[in-house]
Amino acid sequence: MAKRLVAAMAKSLDPYFDLILDDDVSENRWPRVLDYYKKAGHQSIMCQALNKQRFDDLKHLETKNGWTLARSINTGVTNPSSFTGCHAGDLESYQLFRPFFKDVIEKYHVGFDMEKHKHVTDMDVNKITEKLEEHAKKKIVSSRIRCARNLAAFPLNTCGTKESRLEIADLMEKVFATFPAELQGTFHRHTAMSDDEIKYWVDKHFLFRGGDVMQAASGYHADWPHGRGIFVSKDEGFLMWLNEGDHLRIIAMNQDGDIPTTFARLGKAAKAVEDGIKQVTGKDDVFARDDVLGMITCCPTNLGTGMRGSVHILIPKLIKKIGFEEIDRIARTMQCQARGSSGEHSEVVDRVDISNWRRLGFPEYELVHDMVKCVNAISKMEDECE
């Protein structure tokens, strides 16, 4: 890791892609800027969960992949507006720095107690009982449900290398060949796409492009664009992102509000991915997971299911009347959140992305229920606007 940082320093650094460490973080010292942040109005969850004593107690520990507590918090140190402010480098991070991550996890996943609870998973589409109301269906532009997965044999991408990302891409290219006919498609590597291809997939909102300062500060974008790519099924109802943040993003989608069909497709795709990796590698335990925390992810907010179910819903009158921030506040009272229609931090015009907020301690179908209830309520508010 140190060699890579030295190499990065030898070139002109781009904060939208390169890993740039805070000076104190780079020296494994208590980040003095956190003293200032703690006096400010906004504090990331990381800032709330960490003090100098805890940092000093844990700073000398290092995982087998070279991950430290200092590296875990670089995002929040260099970006005070960050909501979470920290990332893990591997499964061991959550174990070795448990006193810190336990507080972070329990602050975000409210009600989950790491001493008492274990994560549960259930992707049975037949258990979805909450339905979108007709007034909501008419406003929905598209629906997407995705889940994150990381391969147990590799470090998380926050401390991955160019080589590890390429190995993952090469492995998954073999896995794609094992998919059943209904999920077959084409793997497009970022490094092999022409400008016209890139524009085509960007215009369809299928392609991730990097360029996020908070993600860059975690190490997500290191060695961009090597080892990145998207898999697109023939019917374009199933996507996979490779090495965007977590190793894999498995995505099912529809250009309507048919949530059960989208959820069922996600379940089939997730199973095909796991079965394919087992077949290619000859291993039984292929994903990084934990009995308590569920699926292991770079960001503590995605632990558990790693699932985000969302719809893009047209609500121009409500946006004009109360504004996006108020819509997001209302959504959060219903265990959901609102984002711009092109993702987090994107511009809001006439539609928003509504998705579940919870991830850990609840089965997947219950998180779909959260999203459906919230969308119905937001749609009703749009209809009540004068």
Side-chain angles (χ1 to χ4, degrees):
M1 185 182 297
K3 290 181 179 179
R4 192 177 71 195
L5 292 175
V6 170
M9 294 173 64
K11 66 176 182 177
S12 178
L13 295 178
D14 181 348
Y16 290 93
F17 285 94
D18 290 315
L19 171 61
I20 302 175
L21 297 180
D22 170 80
D23 289 344
D24 286 328
V25 167
S26 67
E27 296 296 329
N28 202 30
R29 297 189 301 249
W30 166 252
R32 289 163 290 180
V33 70
L34 291 186
D35 293 327
Y36 171 76
Y37 294 167
K38 285 180 175 294
K39 298 176 184 177
H42 167 78
Q43 286 186 40
S44 67
I45 295 178
M46 173 276 291
C47 196
Q48 298 171 44
L50 193 63
N51 56 40
K52 189 174 185 301
Q53 183 61 58
R54 175 169 285 176
F55 179 86
D56 288 342
D57 288 344
L58 301 173
K59 70 177 183 180
H60 298 299
L61 302 177
E62 188 173 299
T63 72
K64 63 182 180 182
N65 291 306
W67 195 254
T68 63
L69 178 62
R71 276 289 283 109
S72 295
I73 65 175
N74 189 62
T75 298
V77 172
T78 56
N79 296 278
S81 63
S82 172
F83 180 83
T84 308
C86 59
H87 294 82
D90 43 32
L91 169 58
E92 190 184 357
S93 303
Y94 290 111
Q95 301 162 344
L96 199 60
F97 312 121
R98 179 184 172 90
F100 166 67
F101 274 116
K102 181 177 184 294
D103 275 6
V104 170
I105 290 165
E106 293 178 355
K107 284 179 183 295
Y108 180 88
H109 302 278
V110 177
F112 188 83
D113 186 333
M114 287 180 61
E115 302 295 338
K116 299 178 181 178
H117 299 149
K118 288 188 176 182
H119 179 66
V120 291
T121 186
D122 193 333
M123 299 183 76
D124 184 353
V125 67
N126 295 312
K127 292 183 178 178
I128 294 180
T129 56
E130 293 291 336
K131 307 295 183 183
L132 285 172
E133 296 173 10
E134 286 303 315
H135 61 83
K137 283 185 178 180
K138 293 176 182 178
K139 301 180 184 71
I140 291 175
V141 178
S142 63
S143 55
R144 286 191 182 195
I145 309 179
R146 60 81 166 156
C147 60
R149 296 289 185 267
N150 287 286
L151 304 180
F154 297 89
L156 299 179
N157 276 331
T158 43
C159 72
T161 63
K162 178 180 177 181
E163 290 72 26
S164 68
R165 289 179 171 89
L166 288 171
E167 284 185 51
I168 291 168
D170 291 344
L171 168 63
M172 291 308 300
E173 191 161 29
K174 296 175 184 176
V175 171
F176 298 147
T178 71
F179 285 173
E182 63 184 305
L183 298 177
Q184 285 288 324
T186 305
F187 180 36
H188 304 271
R189 292 183 186 246
H190 278 61
T191 51
M193 280 187 276
S194 67
D195 290 343
D196 287 342
E197 286 177 303
I198 291 173
K199 183 178 186 305
Y200 175 78
W201 294 119
V202 167
D203 289 346
K204 290 180 74 69
H205 302 287
F206 283 12
L207 188 68
F208 62 94
R209 294 172 285 172
D212 184 299
V213 291
M214 293 189 191
Q215 292 184 346
S218 75
Y220 276 179
H221 297 334
D223 305 302
W224 182 272
H226 300 286
R228 276 77 171 190
I230 58 169
F231 175 87
V232 185
S233 67
K234 292 176 182 177
D235 66 358
E236 298 187 351
F238 161 50
L239 294 178
M240 282 188 65
W241 287 359
L242 266 66
N243 293 323
E244 176 263 350
D246 292 302
H247 296 156
L248 309 175
R249 286 265 198 268
I250 304 168
I251 307 167
M253 56 193 178
N254 270 322
Q255 299 306 310
D256 56 31
D258 189 350
I259 302 302
T261 295
T262 308
F263 186 68
R265 182 180 295 129
L266 178 73
K268 290 178 182 177
K271 185 177 187 306
V273 171
E274 184 167 10
D275 289 348
I277 298 172
K278 289 179 178 179
Q279 180 180 328
V280 172
T281 64
K283 297 178 180 178
D284 290 329
D285 297 322
V286 295
F287 292 138
R289 69 178 90 207
D290 179 81
D291 288 344
V292 173
L293 299 178
M295 290 296 174
I296 297 302
T297 54
C298 300
C299 183
T301 64
N302 283 326
L303 289 166
T305 61
M307 194 194 89
R308 190 171 78 86
S310 69
V311 299
H312 285 181
I313 183 169
L314 288 164
I315 48 171
K317 291 183 290 185
L318 190 62
I319 292 171
K320 183 176 181 180
K321 182 177 180 179
I322 67 175
F324 170 75
E325 290 187 1
E326 179 62 11
I327 293 170
D328 183 44
R329 187 196 67 76
I330 293 168
R332 288 176 192 258
T333 67
M334 292 182 275
Q335 309 295 345
C336 288
Q337 69 180 128
R339 298 185 180 194
S341 58
S342 294
E344 199 169 14
H345 314 307
S346 63
E347 185 180 4
V348 175
V349 182
D350 61 350
R351 67 197 67 186
V352 298
D353 176 305
I354 300 291
S355 64
N356 60 287
W357 173 260
R358 303 189 290 187
R359 307 276 193 274
L360 178 62
F362 301 90
E364 288 83 351
Y365 73 87
E366 284 193 25
L367 304 185
V368 172
H369 288 169
D370 287 347
M371 184 264 289
V372 170
K373 290 177 184 177
C374 183
V375 170
N376 283 336
I378 295 293
S379 172
K380 186 177 180 180
M381 291 176 66
E382 168 75 4
D383 290 341
E384 293 172 348
C385 289
E386 296 180 1

